Amino acid sequence: MIAHFENSAAFAQAADAADPLSRFRAGFVLPQQTNKQDCLYFVGHSLGAQPRKARQYVNEELDAWARLGVEGHFEGAHPWMPYHELLTASTARLVSALPSEVVVMNTLTVNLHLLLASFYRPTPARPRILIEAGAFPSDQYAVASQARFHGFDPAHAILEATGAELLRTLDEHGQSIALVLIGQPNYLTGEAYDVPSIVRLARKHGCEVGLDCAHGAGNLQLRLHDWGVDFAVWCNYKYLNAGPGGLGGAFVHERHGKRPELPRLAGWWGHDKAIRFQMGKQFVPIDGAEGWQLSNPPILQLAALRASMELFDEAGIEALRARGDRLTGYLSWLLDSLPEGTIELLTPDDAARRGSMLTVRVRGARELVDRLRARGALCDYRNPDTIRITPAPLYTSFADVQALGQLLSAEVRP
């Protein structure tokens, strides 16, 4: 553990040399500047960098398609019918779940709607969904459309509360809340919530609990099984480096895994594998999260994700979170050294309440992001005046963070 920080290239290089996880940088291909040097890539919260083996694994399946055609579903090194199962164990370890509780399928909002169909069961007395204020727009659209689908006015059915007010709002309105849906963490501020406390209070009032872990999977140390949430969804193309538009993930707690009577939107791929090809009319769901699958997944996307998940599995999420805390702590320390009043940190200072991403409010944020890009550093702008910066622990170095700090010192203007 680093006991102190220094704003020097020598310090950053020594920190990289001392950290055994620094070697994972070599497993990625990063965008390059015009001088052929790697960019300072701080946007892994939006799209992760490309794993070096992704091209190989995708090409292997393209070759299998060319060589085997339809027989590739059952033949070859990695037959396609069970290909998604290659990701089950590593996904379960990543989010601390049982293998039967997770599945890689669809994209995030598709999975959210599928699980809302099962776990948002409103009644006239209990029609509400509680979400965190400032939730990602797609989550807001999804819950509003679900409320309307069930015949309720979203203006009444949707409750929003800031992080500090979530528990109070849940306690005050719990008897009218059917579902609590929280981004873990919030996509903009990076604030991570006290999920165990939310679950305990939700259970007291008889509410179901779901999480959107789009910015948590591969970033936070999630404990989905032990937390006891009913379901969770996430995308794999941010911290998990699945590639643009990559497949998402879903978690369904084991207590729901053998409930065929639970309402769901069914599809052939979720049907009992042992009798799937009998082509029967009666849907028999697979036990566990796989029972929510609809269609066979795109193999090329699974192949790209497999390349990344092998690296996560080798490094371990606990060790990566510890490295992320050190990298983000260093970034925060460098931000603190900027002239007083030039930036405002919106992400909690406490490492236990955040992941790797820091969000700052700064005057002229859009222009600052453009100037940083021109100098080889990629961060991202969010309207009206915020910048998100993420040192992703699998491939960001302390030297990257120190170099970004130097650029910010030169480019941030009073």
Side-chain angles (χ1 to χ4, degrees):
M1 176 63 72
I2 298 171
H4 72 285
F5 296 123
E6 296 176 10
N7 188 359
S8 72
F11 166 82
Q13 290 165 5
D16 286 325
D19 192 330
L21 296 187
S22 294
R23 64 186 176 86
F24 286 95
R25 167 71 167 252
F28 289 87
V29 181
L30 294 171
Q32 292 196 327
Q33 305 175 48
T34 55
N35 63 4
K36 305 301 182 182
Q37 297 297 308
D38 287 346
C39 284
L40 303 176
Y41 196 76
F42 288 90
V43 287
H45 56 265
S46 187
L47 179 65
Q50 183 184 116
R52 195 168 292 277
K53 282 190 175 181
R55 185 183 300 272
Q56 172 192 335
Y57 287 0
V58 169
N59 282 337
E60 286 174 358
E61 301 315 317
L62 287 172
D63 291 343
W65 179 19
R67 187 175 68 257
L68 300 170
V70 70
E71 299 301 329
H73 284 94
F74 304 99
E75 298 179 9
H78 300 105
W80 302 328
M81 282 294 291
Y83 196 102
H84 69 281
E85 296 172 15
L86 296 174
L87 296 161
T88 300
S90 57
T91 298
R93 284 188 284 269
L94 183 85
V95 299
S96 295
L98 302 177
S100 63
E101 294 176 319
V102 299
V103 63
V104 175
M105 63 178 188
N106 308 314
T107 49
L108 186 147
T109 305
V110 173
N111 289 336
L112 179 57
H113 275 297
L114 289 173
L115 294 175
L116 286 174
S118 295
F119 294 103
Y120 174 53
R121 309 301 300 171
T123 66
R126 192 188 283 270
R128 288 175 150 173
I129 303 177
L130 173 62
I131 63 175
E132 90 268 22
F136 189 74
S138 198
D139 288 5
Q140 298 183 48
Y141 307 154
V143 297
S145 65
Q146 287 277 338
R148 283 192 294 268
F149 181 81
H150 287 282
F152 297 100
D153 180 0
H156 171 71
I158 310 303
L159 284 173
E160 297 184 50
T162 63
E165 296 174 347
L166 270 171
L167 292 176
R168 180 186 61 77
T169 303
L170 176 55
D171 204 24
E172 181 178 344
H173 298 282
Q175 294 304 307
S176 68
I177 294 172
L179 172 71
V180 181
L181 177 66
I182 301 298
Q184 180 65 355
N186 180 268
Y187 87 101
L188 182 61
T189 67
E191 178 180 5
Y193 299 101
D194 181 358
V195 174
S197 294
I198 292 171
V199 172
R200 283 193 296 270
L201 192 54
R203 297 294 176 238
K204 172 186 170 183
H205 291 291
C207 313
E208 307 287 337
V209 181
L211 299 178
D212 177 348
C213 298
H215 287 263
N219 179 28
L220 300 179
Q221 196 163 358
L222 304 172
R223 302 193 182 278
L224 297 183
H225 176 83
D226 290 346
W227 286 344
V229 298
D230 295 287
F231 72 89
V233 294
W234 60 92
C235 49
N236 285 309
Y237 59 79
K238 299 182 190 298
Y239 292 93
L240 295 173
N241 316 300
L247 288 170
F251 163 91
V252 178
H253 199 278
E254 67 169 339
R255 65 179 170 273
H256 304 299
K258 294 185 177 182
R259 294 182 60 196
E261 78 284 0
L262 197 64
R264 74 182 78 195
L265 301 175
W268 186 67
W269 207 255
H271 187 78
D272 185 351
K273 298 174 189 177
I275 57 174
R276 182 185 283 161
F277 280 93
Q278 293 180 13
M279 304 302 188
K281 293 177 65 175
Q282 185 66 36
F283 177 70
V284 181
I286 302 169
D287 288 344
E290 282 190 300
W292 272 263
Q293 296 173 109
L294 297 180
S295 304
N296 54 321
I299 298 302
L300 303 184
Q301 289 192 20
L302 286 173
L305 175 59
R306 180 175 147 237
S308 177
M309 291 303 295
E310 287 179 352
L311 297 173
F312 272 96
D313 226 21
E314 185 179 352
I317 190 61
E318 185 174 357
L320 284 171
R321 182 65 264 136
R323 174 176 166 84
D325 287 341
R326 295 192 295 273
L327 285 163
T328 304
Y330 187 33
L331 174 61
S332 181
W333 182 81
L334 291 169
L335 292 173
D336 283 343
S337 70
L338 296 174
E340 186 174 353
T342 54
I343 68 162
E344 176 189 1
L345 181 65
L346 301 182
T347 307
D349 237 356
D350 181 2
R353 295 178 56 214
R354 71 183 186 203
S356 290
M357 185 181 79
L358 293 182
T359 301
V360 298
R361 177 176 289 135
V362 57
R363 184 183 306 164
R366 183 190 292 274
E367 292 78 12
L368 175 57
V369 166
D370 289 342
R371 293 197 301 273
L372 291 173
R373 183 183 298 112
R375 299 186 65 176
L378 298 180
C379 305
D380 80 354
Y381 164 77
R382 284 293 176 267
N383 188 60
D385 56 2
T386 58
I387 298 176
R388 299 185 299 175
I389 309 170
T390 298
L394 259 180
Y395 50 79
T396 307
S397 67
F398 285 91
D400 291 339
V401 175
Q402 195 271 336
L404 179 66
Q406 294 293 100
L407 291 180
L408 287 169
S409 182
E411 296 292 347
V412 170
R413 296 165 186 174

